């Protein structure tokens, strides 16, 4: 963030500008304080709830509230366990120092009362946070209440633990702190962390980085609800198993955690038929909720990565490519003196222009189509827009300059296609790298925690702790090592709820990268071995024609079965011209055809792109195909001065510019189908206008279905 100070004045306050990548830069006013010492004083600028200006501090505005919505309910669960379970316990005779053989005894009344007050504050803070998400209570009221209540819960728990340790500690070595005490310590830490990160969110609001509400998508709201449902299922299930088995609540909470995460150490298991029967529905429901939660977390991580990391990578590569590019097709025309229309001097696209490409998707959902578009694009292009493609070609008289223009455009198209491919690879492997880093941290740091927690109880080494964490992360659960100390079990509950979903996300990211590469390798191996196409075994099949005929027969039968399963095609067959790849030379020699012939081609192109949408793999078209598509998009354009700027933003683009189709959120088939339908709409309205005899001079209303 670069800060620029305007000239200082003694009577007027200066303005501090924040250079951002988003449009609609916000400015925070500051006033000069103690000018002799050159110090500045911040002035808060709180934006209203209906503010539509651009937002920054994306992590503080989006990620932090969701983190707090996850850690808050977890802290409530730990606080419940701390309230129900006595904090001190006595060792059984003959098992001195073995935490699994302890019996708790009652805590002082003041400890129980303050513990209950802490739980009430924690629940109230969560309720205010939920009201904040649903906008039942104003942001400026709900968020401070959540922070204050969680700070109260933290302070009360810290005061209880310190007072207990100073005034009424367990008598060593016959007594020790129970799991309830360590649940309270962990709950205090979670409340403290949640309050501190929410203060960062409030600071961003006070400085004017975003308005006073949480901008949450449907997926993010589902993540919050699924998180709350998961912890209700976890804590409620522990209470039910306590009634069925008669065990302690903290032990059953650990048992439910191990069951839902499918680790299954075997140190705790149902002891009667009632508990065994309860495992059937409880485990299935917990695993389903956990799967939904992990899926929502992965989508949220991908969304944040795409918006703030992947797009930055695309913009960086695009800017580098623009800096290396020599010219555009329009500039080449202008340099040759062949432009037949008058425009203002051509200007290069602004390298520092904000990159905030809004999605423009095609939807066939009637309910979704009725909803107002929250991301409506207001494109205002000047008459100096970069011209490319067919319109530029119309002003060229000979075949040679036209071919040069095509080659120039194809170079820019190829450069953008390379950016597109590198971005796809970067997106996959950056997500994999982040998952590996998170996995490594949780593995190594978790091993340190278990090493220290189980040192007295089991005397394990750090290597054994690493082995235990690895087995737990992969949900193998041999059972040779498991938490036995009163501090180790609460720590395992929190650690496993973070680590196991992280491992699941890592495996999913590996499916898009490493496993996909392995799958492609097996296909290539099959081509050279069992299912040859052009490998070494081709000669063997030539010596034994019966084997080749048998394999071809099986392949034909499989293809026939696939065609029958997909159904028979209806409508006219594709013309042969679509299957013949065109070259730049052939395109340069194409003769001009009338609008009616182009309209027929437009209908076939719409049907073709609609068929491409049905395929599982997203279709990427060649430059020669794009030349034909752009001609069909642009032939129906309107030459009206009132509509030219708005329309040009939809049908004119530069391949490596910020309005390139390759930078759109939707795939190429969706983008083309949208533009081709708009072209058909313009053509039909033009024909209707001509039939009524109004002509272009009178103009007509241009309807955009968006």
């Amino acid at each position: 963030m670069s800060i620029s100070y305007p000239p200082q004045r003694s009577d007027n306050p200066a303005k501090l500008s924040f250079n951002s990548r988003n449009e609609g830069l916000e400015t925070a006013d500051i006033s000069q304080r103690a000018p002799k010492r050159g110090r500045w004083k911040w002035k808060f600028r709180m934006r209203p709830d209906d503010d539509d200006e651009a937002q920054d501090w994306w992590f503080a505005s989006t990620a932090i509230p969701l983190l707090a919505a996850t850690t808050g309910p977890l802290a409530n669960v730990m606080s419940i366990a701390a309230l129900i379970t006595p904090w001190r316990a006595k060792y059984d005779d003959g098992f001195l120092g073995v935490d699994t053989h302890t019996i708790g005894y009652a805590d002082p009344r003041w400890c129980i009362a303050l513990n209950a007050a802490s739980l009430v504050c924690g629940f109230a803070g969560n309720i205010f946070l939920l009201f904040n998400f649903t906008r039942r209570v104003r942001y400026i009221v709900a968020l401070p209440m959540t922070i204050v209540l969680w700070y109260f819960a933290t302070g009360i728990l810290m005061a209880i633990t310190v007072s207990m340790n100073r005034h009424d500690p367990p008598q060593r070595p016959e007594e020790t702190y129970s799991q309830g005490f360590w649940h309270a310590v962990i709950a205090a830490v979670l409340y403290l962390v949640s309050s501190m990160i929410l203060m960062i969110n409030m600071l961003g609001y006070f400085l004017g980085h975003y308005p006073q509400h949480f901008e949450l998508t449907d997926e993010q709201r589902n993540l919050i609800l699924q998180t709350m449902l998961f912890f209700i299922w976890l804590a409620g299930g522990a209470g039910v198993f306590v009634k069925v088995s008669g065990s302690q609540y903290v032990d059953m909470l650990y048992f439910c955690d191990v069951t839902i995460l499918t680790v299954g150490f075997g140190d705790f298991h149902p002891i009667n038929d009632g508990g065994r029967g309860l495992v059937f529905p409880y485990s299935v429901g917990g695993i389903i909720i956990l799967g939904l939660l992990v899926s929502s977390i992965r989508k949220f991580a991908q969304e944040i990565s795409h918006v703030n990391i992947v797009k930055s990578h695309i913009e960086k590569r695009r800017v580098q490519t623009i800096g290396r590019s020599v010219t555009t097709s329009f500039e080449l025309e202008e340099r040759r003196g062949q432009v037949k229309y008058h425009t203002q001097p051509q200007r290069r696209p602004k390298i520092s222009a904000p990159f905030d490409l809004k999605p423009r998707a095609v939807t066939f959902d009637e309910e979704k189509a009725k909803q107002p578009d929250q991301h409506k694009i207001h494109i205002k292009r000047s008459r100096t827009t970069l011209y490319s493609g067919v319109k530029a070609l119309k002003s060229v008289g000979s075949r040679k300059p036209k071919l040069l223009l095509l080659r120039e455009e194809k170079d820019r198209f190829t450069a953008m296609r390379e950016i597109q491919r590198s971005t796809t690879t970067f997106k996959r492997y950056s997500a994999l790298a982040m998952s590996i880093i998170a996995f490594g941290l949780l593995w190594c740091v978790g091993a340190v925690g278990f090493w220290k927690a189980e040192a007295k109880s089991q005397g394990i080494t750090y290597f054994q702790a690493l082995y235990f964490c690895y087995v737990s992360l992969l949900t193998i659960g041999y059972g040779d090592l498991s938490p036995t100390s009163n501090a180790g079990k609460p720590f395992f509950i929190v650690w496993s709820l973070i680590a196991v979903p992280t491992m699941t996300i890592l495996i999913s990211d590996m499916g898009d990268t490493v496993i996909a590469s392995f799958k492609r390798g097996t296909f290539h191996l099959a081509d050279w071995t069992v299912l040859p196409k052009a490998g070494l075994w081709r000669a063997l099949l030539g010596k034994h024609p019966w084997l080749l005929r048998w394999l071809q027969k099986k392949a034909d039968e499989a293809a026939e079965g696939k065609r029958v399963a997909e159904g028979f095609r209806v409508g006219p067959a594709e013309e042969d011209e679509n299957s013949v790849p065109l070259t730049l030379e052939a395109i340069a020699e194409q003769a001009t055809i009338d609008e009616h012939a182009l309209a027929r081609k437009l209908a076939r192109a719409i049907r073709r792109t609609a068929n491409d949408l049905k395929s599982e793999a997203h279709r990427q078209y060649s430059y020669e195909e794009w030349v034909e598509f752009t001609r069909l998009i642009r032939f129906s354009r309107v030459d009206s001065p009132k509509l030219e700027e708005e329309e040009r933003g939809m049908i004119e683009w530069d391949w490596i510019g910020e309005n390139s189709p390759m930078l759109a959120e939707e795939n190429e088939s969706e983008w083309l189908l949208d533009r081709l339908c708009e072209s058909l709409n313009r053509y039909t309205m033009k024909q209707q206008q001509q039939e009524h005899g109004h002509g272009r001079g009178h103009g007509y209303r241009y309807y955009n279905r968006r």
Side-chain angles (χ1 to χ4, degrees), residues 117-368:
S118 172
L119 179 60
V120 170
C121 291
F123 268 121
N126 257 326
I127 292 174
F128 274 104
L129 184 63
L130 181 61
F131 286 164
N132 196 354
F133 284 130
T134 57
R135 300 191 184 184
R136 301 293 183 182
V137 181
R138 292 180 57 194
Y139 174 93
I140 197 61
V141 176
L143 191 63
M145 287 297 298
T146 299
I147 295 174
V148 170
L149 288 170
W150 280 352
Y151 270 129
F152 278 158
T154 303
I156 293 173
L157 288 175
M158 292 178 64
I160 298 174
T161 53
V162 172
S163 300
M164 177 73 73
N165 190 56
R166 175 171 295 185
H167 299 290
D168 200 0
Q171 301 300 319
R172 309 281 186 176
E174 292 82 9
E175 299 177 356
T176 186
Y177 283 117
S178 68
Q179 295 185 49
F181 175 83
W182 295 109
H183 277 86
V185 172
I186 295 176
V189 173
L190 292 175
Y191 282 135
L192 179 62
V193 172
S194 302
S195 303
M196 293 175 67
I197 62 177
L198 284 180
M199 288 188 66
I200 299 176
N201 178 271
M202 180 171 286
L203 177 63
Y205 161 66
F206 284 154
L207 296 179
H209 291 282
Y210 37 81
Q212 53 173 309
H213 59 78
F214 294 132
E215 289 290 346
L216 301 179
T217 62
D218 292 338
E219 291 294 338
Q220 294 168 0
R221 295 181 187 275
N222 290 336
L223 174 60
I224 295 173
L225 295 177
Q226 290 164 2
T227 302
M228 293 182 177
L229 180 60
F230 176 79
F231 287 117
I232 291 174
W233 189 266
L234 179 67
V240 174
F241 277 105
V242 168
K243 294 295 183 180
V244 173
S245 63
S247 302
Q248 293 185 356
Y249 181 81
V250 287
D251 290 335
M252 291 298 97
L253 186 64
Y254 166 78
F255 164 75
C256 291
D257 176 72
V258 171
T259 301
I260 293 176
L261 297 179
T262 67
V263 179
F265 293 122
D267 48 353
F268 285 90
H269 54 82
I271 59 176
N272 51 39
D273 291 340
R276 297 185 184 99
L278 186 61
V279 167
F280 294 144
Y282 182 78
S283 59
V284 172
I287 292 172
I288 292 175
I289 298 174
L290 179 64
L292 294 174
L293 181 61
V294 171
S295 177
S296 298
I297 292 174
R298 184 171 186 266
K299 289 179 181 179
F300 171 67
Q302 288 178 338
E303 180 182 352
I304 289 182
S305 173
H306 178 72
V307 172
N308 301 281
I309 299 177
V310 177
K311 280 190 174 182
S312 299
H313 174 78
I314 297 174
E315 178 68 0
K316 181 180 178 181
R317 291 291 307 274
R318 189 182 68 84
V319 169
Q320 293 174 351
T321 304
I322 291 178
R324 294 194 303 266
S325 64
V326 178
T327 183
T328 65
S329 59
F330 178 78
E331 291 170 338
L332 182 60
E333 273 190 297
E334 193 176 37
R335 189 173 64 234
R336 291 176 177 273
Q338 295 171 331
V339 180
K340 296 184 180 180
Y341 42 83
H342 301 285
T343 62
Q344 298 176 2
Q346 171 67 20
R347 287 177 286 180
R348 282 294 186 93
K350 295 182 179 179
I351 303 293
S352 59
F355 178 64
D356 189 14
L357 192 64
K358 299 297 183 181
R360 177 183 173 82
V362 178
T363 178
F364 299 97
D365 189 350
E366 183 178 355
E367 296 297 330
K368 185 176 179 181

Side-chain angles (χ1 to χ4, degrees), residues 256-546:
C256 291
D257 176 72
V258 171
T259 301
I260 293 176
L261 297 179
T262 67
V263 179
F265 293 122
D267 48 353
F268 285 90
H269 54 82
I271 59 176
N272 51 39
D273 291 340
R276 297 185 184 99
L278 186 61
V279 167
F280 294 144
Y282 182 78
S283 59
V284 172
I287 292 172
I288 292 175
I289 298 174
L290 179 64
L292 294 174
L293 181 61
V294 171
S295 177
S296 298
I297 292 174
R298 184 171 186 266
K299 289 179 181 179
F300 171 67
Q302 288 178 338
E303 180 182 352
I304 289 182
S305 173
H306 178 72
V307 172
N308 301 281
I309 299 177
V310 177
K311 280 190 174 182
S312 299
H313 174 78
I314 297 174
E315 178 68 0
K316 181 180 178 181
R317 291 291 307 274
R318 189 182 68 84
V319 169
Q320 293 174 351
T321 304
I322 291 178
R324 294 194 303 266
S325 64
V326 178
T327 183
T328 65
S329 59
F330 178 78
E331 291 170 338
L332 182 60
E333 273 190 297
E334 193 176 37
R335 189 173 64 234
R336 291 176 177 273
Q338 295 171 331
V339 180
K340 296 184 180 180
Y341 42 83
H342 301 285
T343 62
Q344 298 176 2
Q346 171 67 20
R347 287 177 286 180
R348 282 294 186 93
K350 295 182 179 179
I351 303 293
S352 59
F355 178 64
D356 189 14
L357 192 64
K358 299 297 183 181
R360 177 183 173 82
V362 178
T363 178
F364 299 97
D365 189 350
E366 183 178 355
E367 296 297 330
K368 185 176 179 181
K370 294 180 181 179
Q371 297 178 359
D373 188 359
Q374 301 297 332
H375 302 285
K376 186 176 182 181
I377 304 174
H378 302 280
I379 304 176
K380 295 183 178 180
R381 301 289 181 185
S382 65
R383 297 177 65 89
T384 62
T385 306
L386 293 174
Y387 286 85
S388 60
V390 177
K391 185 171 181 63
L393 301 178
K394 291 181 180 179
S395 61
V396 182
S398 62
R399 174 183 177 275
K400 184 176 180 180
K402 185 175 182 179
L403 184 58
L404 289 177
L405 286 176
L406 285 171
R407 288 175 177 173
E408 175 71 20
E409 285 293 317
K410 186 173 182 179
D411 290 340
R412 299 173 71 84
F413 176 88
T414 304
M416 195 63 208
R417 182 68 80 193
E418 181 61 30
I419 293 176
Q420 199 176 37
R421 293 193 185 100
S422 65
T423 300
T424 302
T425 304
F426 173 80
K427 180 180 179 180
R428 293 175 179 175
Y429 283 92
S430 62
L432 178 63
M434 295 298 295
S435 299
I436 292 176
I437 292 173
F439 170 81
L441 289 175
L442 289 170
W443 183 21
C444 298
V445 175
V448 173
F450 288 111
W451 177 37
K452 295 298 182 181
E454 301 294 328
K456 181 180 178 182
S457 179
Q458 302 185 62
I460 64 175
T461 62
Y462 181 69
F463 175 77
Q464 291 175 333
L466 279 174
Y467 163 78
F468 165 74
C469 290
Y470 187 80
V471 171
S472 301
L473 279 169
L474 295 180
T475 66
I476 297 175
Y478 290 123
D480 52 343
L481 290 177
S482 61
T484 59
S485 65
N486 290 334
K489 291 177 182 177
F491 180 75
F492 178 82
I493 293 174
V494 176
W495 176 83
S496 62
L497 290 176
I498 301 173
V500 174
T502 302
M503 183 63 193
T504 306
I505 295 174
L506 172 61
I507 294 175
S508 179
D509 291 334
M510 290 179 64
D512 297 335
T513 53
V514 180
I515 298 176
S517 300
F518 179 78
K519 184 185 295 185
R520 289 193 296 268
T522 57
F523 288 157
H524 290 301
L525 180 63
D527 292 341
W528 286 80
T529 55
V530 182
L531 300 174
K533 289 184 179 178
L536 298 176
W537 290 87
R538 188 70 182 181
L540 178 62
L541 293 177
K543 295 179 181 179
H544 303 280
W546 64 270

